[in-house]
Amino acid sequence: MFESAELRQEVSKADYDAAVPALREALLDAQYDLLSAKDFPVLIIIGGIEGAGKSETVQTLNEWLDPRHVHTHGFLMPTDEEAERPPMYRFWRALPPKGEMGIFFGSWYSLPMVSRVLGDASDADLDRSINVIRHLERMLHNEGVLILKFWLHISEREQRKRLSALEADSDTRWRYTKTIERLAERYDEVRDTAEKMLRETSTGEAPWTVIDGHDHRHRTLALGKALLDVLRRRLDAPEAERLVTAAPVTAQGGNVLLIRSLDLAQRLEREEYRELLDKYQGRFARLVGSKAFRRHSLVLAFEGSDAAGKGGAIRRVTGALDARLYQIVPVAAPTEEERAQPYLWRFWRHVPGHSGIAIFDRTWFGRVLVERVEGFCSEADWMRAYDEINEFEEQLVGNGTILCKFWLQISKDEQLKRFQEREKTGFKRFKITEDDWRNRDRWEDYERAVAEMVDRTSTSLAPWNLVEANDKWFARVKVLRTICEALEKAL
């Protein structure tokens, strides 16, 4: 894979000076066209052998492009905040919005490769990381992100020469770290591990470009021309090709008996409700206050029929807690900032750290519910979302998150009763909108969407909890009891 990058290709100073002005102008033109169109973002990943010129290349790109619209991130070891969350959390937060460019100097490839070479991770760990990366890049591509991945390569002999010069110069010695020294001593292992990662993650949606880094002029021109070529082709393509979507998939449709067979007649009397509410709120408070919970986080995801009582259930959950311990994330139509990013971005940024609790009032399942039923995204988009959501939740749980997902279901008659009550009660009018009445007309469509959502995303790691909610007291107690049982099982 790296043979052609070890040929030591060179460009004369005269040829370099002659080529740079036109290349810089063309890159700026492409950047401004991207900014004007705001159709998609560009993500540039710079990786490579230590000493191959990664830092210098990133500096050159920032000089040649308008830096006001380039988001450059150098990823080192995770901070304490980042280490408490899934590994991909810090990369999701740094994604560029539509119309702009992001440069990742170090990326989701760096830590898995370094950990494997230094013996801190096994082959199985590396394979798992590669699988997560492939899922992520496929999703980003399907969301329209143009991903360009460059690997800068030099021979072992050239690396020794450059790192020796780096260490000997008092002005640059600070860059010669212990980690770089240890990686240099394992050049062959780095090369083999990098080859495996590049081979298994060089896909049609996110291919790798390997560049000979021996001559800085050749390296700079080769990367600049490759960037310009891919960006220009995407910008000049017809709109249908420029706005990437996944291949169409035929929806199967869920079995609505899953929803219709729920026993919505279950009820609690007032005294029993008060007794059980106190019991489970107290148990919940003790569990999240325990030492064992400090190694975990809790994510509560609430979905349900309109007027099913999500807000009331959430208030009984938070009623057991100190307000400093939790964050409620109300999810409505995406803002302009959120529409400029892949749809899971707005949920990733609220992932809690250790001992944190995040409560989502509406969730990432909006893509396979409202967006599906109302036609806000294509069938291809919501069909691929099932796999993307399962992968997202697997990363949360794998990092120690205790995830509880609730669907609150009421009957159509009960919903009508609650809608009418809200319209008559002054302080509840804000809870009822024209959209609620319109959604009611598509009751059967939502039933099918909910049933398929549960079929496809109720996993052993993150099962759905279906809550019979015609009686609000019964629903609230069931939610609290389920949370307590999940915490007890995990802790």
Side-chain angles (χ1 to χ4, degrees), residues 267-276 471 473-474:
R267 306 183 64 81
L268 288 178
E269 297 302 323
R270 180 182 296 273
E271 290 305 316
E272 185 182 13
Y273 165 66
R274 288 177 173 173
E275 180 182 339
L276 291 175
D471 180 65
W473 293 345
F474 176 87

Side-chain angles (χ1 to χ4, degrees), residues 109-295:
Y109 289 94
S110 304
L111 196 56
M113 187 185 74
V114 170
S115 297
R116 181 66 196 97
V117 171
L118 298 183
D120 298 326
S122 65
D123 286 337
D125 293 329
L126 181 64
D127 289 338
R128 281 191 289 271
S129 295
I130 289 172
N131 186 54
V132 170
I133 289 169
R134 286 173 63 97
H135 268 91
L136 173 62
E137 292 182 348
R138 184 183 306 120
M139 179 191 176
L140 294 180
H141 167 79
N142 288 335
E143 287 289 299
V145 181
L146 176 59
I147 307 172
L148 298 101
K149 303 186 297 191
F150 298 100
W151 182 267
L152 310 184
H153 189 79
I154 53 176
S155 64
E156 183 178 12
R157 179 180 178 183
E158 181 67 19
Q159 185 190 58
R160 285 200 301 267
K161 174 184 171 183
R162 292 187 182 183
L163 293 183
S164 295
L166 190 71
E167 185 183 20
D169 189 335
S170 60
D171 292 333
T172 59
R173 190 178 301 146
W174 62 272
R175 294 172 56 187
Y176 187 70
T177 65
K178 278 290 184 183
T179 300
I180 290 177
E181 181 180 13
R182 293 174 67 193
L183 292 173
E185 292 170 351
R186 296 167 171 80
Y187 179 90
D188 289 342
E189 294 175 57
V190 171
R191 191 181 193 278
D192 292 346
T193 305
E195 182 177 318
K196 173 182 172 66
M197 292 196 76
L198 267 63
R199 183 178 67 250
E200 296 188 15
T201 60
S202 192
T203 61
E205 57 262 18
W208 277 100
T209 299
V210 179
I211 293 177
D212 182 350
H214 289 84
D215 177 68
H216 73 277
R217 288 187 287 265
H218 166 78
R219 178 192 71 222
T220 305
L221 287 181
L223 191 146
K225 289 176 180 177
L227 170 59
L228 175 63
D229 178 61
V230 176
L231 181 54
R232 195 71 265 172
R233 279 191 283 118
R234 177 75 173 268
L235 287 166
D236 294 341
E239 184 176 4
E241 297 176 23
R242 190 169 70 249
L243 305 180
V244 177
T245 58
V249 184
T250 302
Q252 299 298 312
N255 186 347
V256 295
L257 288 177
L258 181 70
I259 304 300
R260 295 176 182 175
S261 62
L262 293 174
D263 181 5
L264 300 181
Q266 298 181 80
R267 306 183 64 81
L268 288 178
E269 297 302 323
R270 180 182 296 273
E271 290 305 316
E272 185 182 13
Y273 165 66
R274 288 177 173 173
E275 180 182 339
L276 291 175
L277 182 66
D278 288 343
K279 172 184 174 180
Y280 288 115
Q281 283 184 331
R283 186 185 296 182
F284 179 39
R286 288 191 296 273
L287 286 165
V288 298
S290 67
K291 289 184 179 179
F293 184 65
R294 296 174 190 173
R295 301 189 300 273

Side-chain angles (χ1 to χ4, degrees), residues 260-441:
R260 295 176 182 175
S261 62
L262 293 174
D263 181 5
L264 300 181
Q266 298 181 80
R267 306 183 64 81
L268 288 178
E269 297 302 323
R270 180 182 296 273
E271 290 305 316
E272 185 182 13
Y273 165 66
R274 288 177 173 173
E275 180 182 339
L276 291 175
L277 182 66
D278 288 343
K279 172 184 174 180
Y280 288 115
Q281 283 184 331
R283 186 185 296 182
F284 179 39
R286 288 191 296 273
L287 286 165
V288 298
S290 67
K291 289 184 179 179
F293 184 65
R294 296 174 190 173
R295 301 189 300 273
H296 296 270
S297 59
L298 177 64
V299 170
L300 305 178
F302 285 88
E303 292 283 359
S305 309
D306 291 332
K310 295 183 296 299
I314 290 171
R315 284 194 294 276
R316 273 62 189 183
V317 169
T318 59
L321 302 173
D322 185 319
R324 294 169 294 183
L325 298 178
Y326 62 85
Q327 176 191 17
I328 297 179
V329 184
V331 177
T335 63
E336 288 297 324
E337 179 189 22
E338 292 166 342
R339 276 196 288 267
Q341 297 281 3
Y343 74 96
L344 283 178
W345 175 84
R346 61 174 173 159
F347 305 107
W348 266 105
R349 63 179 179 162
H350 293 297
V351 169
H354 291 170
S355 299
I357 301 173
I359 304 171
F360 289 88
D361 185 355
R362 301 291 189 187
T363 69
W364 41 94
F365 289 98
R367 172 141 293 198
V368 297
L369 293 174
V370 175
E371 292 186 43
R372 165 186 173 163
V373 174
E374 302 299 334
F376 295 151
C377 67
S378 69
E379 181 177 317
D381 285 337
W382 61 256
M383 280 297 295
R384 65 178 168 83
Y386 295 119
D387 180 58
E388 293 163 355
I389 287 169
N390 287 337
E391 174 66 22
F392 169 53
E393 294 179 347
E394 184 177 342
Q395 291 186 51
L396 293 181
V397 175
N399 196 62
T401 298
I402 300 163
L403 174 61
C404 296
K405 304 184 306 196
F406 297 99
W407 175 266
L408 275 64
Q409 180 66 34
I410 56 176
S411 68
K412 199 171 184 179
D413 289 343
E414 179 65 22
Q415 185 187 67
L416 177 60
K417 175 184 172 184
R418 294 185 186 183
F419 277 11
Q420 291 172 339
E421 180 186 344
R422 287 179 175 184
E423 285 190 326
K424 294 175 182 177
T425 307
F427 59 84
K428 289 187 177 182
R429 284 181 185 171
F430 74 95
K431 292 185 175 184
I432 186 75
T433 68
E434 288 298 323
D435 285 341
D436 294 323
W437 286 107
R438 185 168 50 80
N439 292 344
R440 180 175 164 79
D441 291 337

